[in-house]
Amino acid sequence: MKIHDDVRKRLRVLYSENDIAKRIKEIAAKLAEKQLDDPLAITILKGSFIFAADLLRAMHYAGIETEVEFMMISSYRKGTQSGQIEIKKDIDSPVENRNVILIDDILETGRTLAHARDLLMARGAKRVLTCCLLEKPGKRAVAIEADCVGFTCPDQFVVGYGMDMGHSFRELPYIGYLPQEERGETR
Ligand code: IMP
Ligand code: MG
């Protein structure tokens, strides 16, 4: 979108393509060590679609065969609806007795991940192993930590590699941020 051209120019790289690729290989190796029986990867849309695509391929090379499902979740974080979670698209397969690998982009307040994890456990999943590319510490409203984390990131609004600001920037191959002092009205 043209309106974001100015922001695009001022973005700074936080994690490069190479940083991300290297870390994803490490996460896949860690998951392989767990030797999960017949896993089901559940990707939380939209933000984690690129992370999940790369992680799933890295998992393949690490020797993990997995089924894949998608769940679309929105969290309303403003005004009176703060913290409300809505499942916009649910998975199509049952999770009863399955080893689930739940994949998300950012763990911030923890509401999204905790809601999805609790829902899957309530549906009878044997285990839900959570995997987030980024986590922002000190922002948690719900007590949850991910089993696998790519990077602990600074408290900046990040974009790229699947993550958006006003529907833009998801296609960037790196993770970037707009420094606080330059952010102005754009957040
Ligand atoms: P929470 O953990 O429920 O607060 O929500 C985390 C979700 O908020 C993530 O899955 C993202 O979709 C979104 N989010 C949080 N921080 C950022 C950010 O810095 N950039 C883009 N999206 C973010
Ligand atoms: Mg998200």
Side-chain angles (χ1 to χ4, degrees):
M1 216 197 220
K2 282 271 174 285
I3 199 167
H4 287 128
D5 279 356
D6 184 46
V7 177
R8 200 172 286 266
K9 277 183 216 139
R10 289 181 291 140
L11 280 180
R12 297 199 193 154
V13 176
L14 185 58
Y15 303 110
S16 70
E17 254 185 287
N18 276 344
D19 295 336
I20 299 167
K22 188 166 166 257
R23 189 69 189 115
I24 285 178
K25 265 192 193 164
E26 291 168 359
I27 295 174
K30 190 176 162 187
L31 288 171
E33 276 172 19
K34 300 196 184 283
Q35 304 206 326
L36 295 174
D37 181 37
D38 194 20
L40 170 64
I42 300 181
T43 301
I44 301 180
L45 299 173
K46 299 176 184 170
S48 68
F49 78 108
I50 293 180
F51 172 46
D54 284 348
L55 179 62
L56 288 162
R57 282 176 291 188
M59 283 162 58
H60 164 81
Y61 289 119
I64 304 172
E65 283 177 23
T66 183
E67 289 173 31
V68 185
E69 274 283 356
F70 303 91
M71 190 181 248
M72 191 181 288
I73 303 184
S74 279
S75 59
Y76 299 97
R77 300 186 295 159
K78 286 183 178 158
T80 52
Q81 285 190 302
S82 172
Q84 198 162 315
I85 306 289
E86 187 189 348
I87 309 275
K88 297 205 145 181
K89 184 218 172 288
D90 209 338
I91 49 172
D92 300 319
S93 319
V95 291
E96 213 176 336
N97 243 354
R98 299 297 301 268
N99 285 304
V100 173
I101 301 171
L102 185 59
I103 303 172
D104 202 7
D105 53 355
I106 306 189
L107 177 60
E108 194 173 18
T109 66
R111 288 192 179 102
T112 307
L113 197 66
H115 186 88
R117 180 203 56 191
D118 294 350
L119 182 68
L120 297 167
M121 288 306 291
R123 289 178 183 171
K126 190 195 284 178
R127 177 173 185 188
V128 178
L129 207 140
T130 52
C131 207
C132 292
L133 178 59
L134 304 178
E135 69 141 359
K136 289 185 188 172
K139 305 287 278 187
R140 223 68 88 240
V142 177
I144 183 168
E145 292 308 323
D147 297 299
C148 298
V149 172
F151 303 98
T152 297
C153 80
D155 185 18
Q156 297 279 358
F157 195 81
V158 298
V159 296
Y161 201 71
M163 294 169 284
D164 76 311
M165 182 193 286
H167 307 293
S168 290
F169 309 114
R170 290 195 198 274
E171 82 288 2
L172 296 177
Y174 57 87
I175 297 171
Y177 73 102
L178 193 64
Q180 297 272 4
E181 64 277 11
E182 293 192 27
R183 205 187 292 155
E185 296 295 298
T186 52
R187 186 165 182 176

